[in-house]
Every structure is written in structure tokens, then in C-alpha cells.
Amino acid sequence: MIRNTLGSLLGLIGAAAAVWSPFRAWYGSRQGRDYRVEQLFSGAGITEDGASLFGSILLPFLFAALLALVAVVLRSRLLMGLAGVVVLGFAVLWMVRQGQAADGLSVGGDGPGLGDGLANAFGGGALLLLGAAVMSSRPSRRRRRRTDAPADRDEAAYGSPYPPAHQDPDPYPPSHQDPRAYPPSHQDQAGTYPPEPTRPADPENPSGPTGWGPRPPRDEQS
């Protein structure tokens, strides 16, 4: 927010300086509004002919100021930088044409030289570029939709060291799925051993299932 405010302020000051520059002296006592725009692009170059207000160098500077206003509203660094390029481009182009017409340029001295109007144009263009560099660009719609969209519940949170639980609900398979994976316990193996052999029964002394007869009385044992 602070960057946008500071960049917008610099851009507006630069646009105002650029628009004000044609009303100041550019070369000698001749103001910038006296130079025609088409003279900057024609082979004849700059002449002594005058120009109308909106047919002079003021026209591209007004266009640059309009770009700066739109850039402030839209928070567009591109438009703000483009406005600065337009101002600096026309100022440099004028210097080239004026140097060709006057066989060189001078600053100050006894003869005609570059005036403060050109300095205002360069200063305004520099402030526009500086404002574009300071401003923070407006996020695109695609980026805002991506950040505002709710996170997928199947997607783990960013930076989370643990994966979601539903991806691996049971890392260890239950024993009933693969009965051969673990050997049966001794309780399960009790019925696997063969039965103990029994002694044959005595027909004269029938015995129980183990083959042993009943115990004799105590008096017989003594």
C-alpha cells in the first residue's frame, strides 16, 4: 500500500512537470509549445514556423499524463513506465532535431541555449520511471483465483511434515488377509499332534480307556 501511494505520487508529479514543460523555454527564448510535433518526424526538421497549442510538443506530453493517470487507477507499473518513456523519447528526439537545425546545442552562454523547459521534461520523465519502479504491480485475476480458491481436502497442507491419514489408513495388513504370513500359535497347533497310543484291553481285567485296571483294596495291598 505504501509503495503504491509513493509510486503514484511520484508519477503524478512527473506527469505534471512534463505537461508544464512546453510552457517554459526550451531553446533560447522559444517555448516548447512553439515546436510542431510533425517537425520532429519530417526530413526538414525544426523550422521557425509556429504551432498551435494542441499541435505542439504538448500533445505527446498530455498523452503521457493520461497514461500516468490510468496507471495510478489500475496500479499498473507498465503504463507508468510507458508514460515516462514517451516523455523522455520526445525530449531526446527534440534535442536531435534542434541540434541538426542549429548545428549543435549549447547550455547557457551569450547565445541561445537549452532552457529549463527541457529540464522539466527530463525531470518529469525520470519521475515517471521512478514511480513505475516503486509501485507494486496489481495481482492478476488468475493468481487471485488460485490464492482465493479453497484448498483441496485431498492435498496436504504446505509445509506439513505428515501426510494425510486417508492416504495410508492401515500401513500394516491384518493377519486374516494372509494367514500364511504368521505361523499359528501353540494353542492352534494342539490339535495337530497325533493321539497317544493306548494299551490293548485285557479281556480278564477290563480297564478303562487307558488300559489300567481298578486299584485293589487296601487290605490286599498290605
Side-chain angles (χ1 to χ4, degrees), residues 99-179:
Q100 292 175 353
D103 293 333
L105 298 175
S106 61
V107 180
D110 297 335
L114 300 176
D116 56 352
L118 181 64
N120 290 338
F122 276 103
L127 287 177
L128 287 170
L129 292 180
L130 182 60
V134 172
M135 289 178 62
S136 59
S137 60
R138 188 175 182 178
S140 60
R141 294 183 178 180
R142 181 178 300 178
R143 183 178 179 183
R144 285 185 300 172
R145 288 177 181 177
R146 185 177 300 176
T147 55
D148 296 340
D152 190 3
R153 62 180 182 179
D154 294 336
E155 183 179 0
Y158 177 77
S160 176
Y162 303 102
H166 67 275
Q167 291 185 1
D168 193 5
D170 191 5
Y172 301 100
S175 59
H176 67 274
Q177 293 182 359
D178 191 2

Side-chain angles (χ1 to χ4, degrees), residues 58-81:
L58 178 63
L59 181 62
F61 289 171
L62 287 176
F63 176 72
L66 180 61
L67 287 178
L69 291 176
V70 176
V72 171
V73 175
L74 300 180
R75 292 185 295 174
S76 175
R77 301 176 61 183
L78 179 61
L79 293 179
M80 186 69 72

Side-chain angles (χ1 to χ4, degrees), residues 193-199 209-210:
Y193 296 99
E196 297 181 356
T198 59
R199 297 177 60 182
T210 59

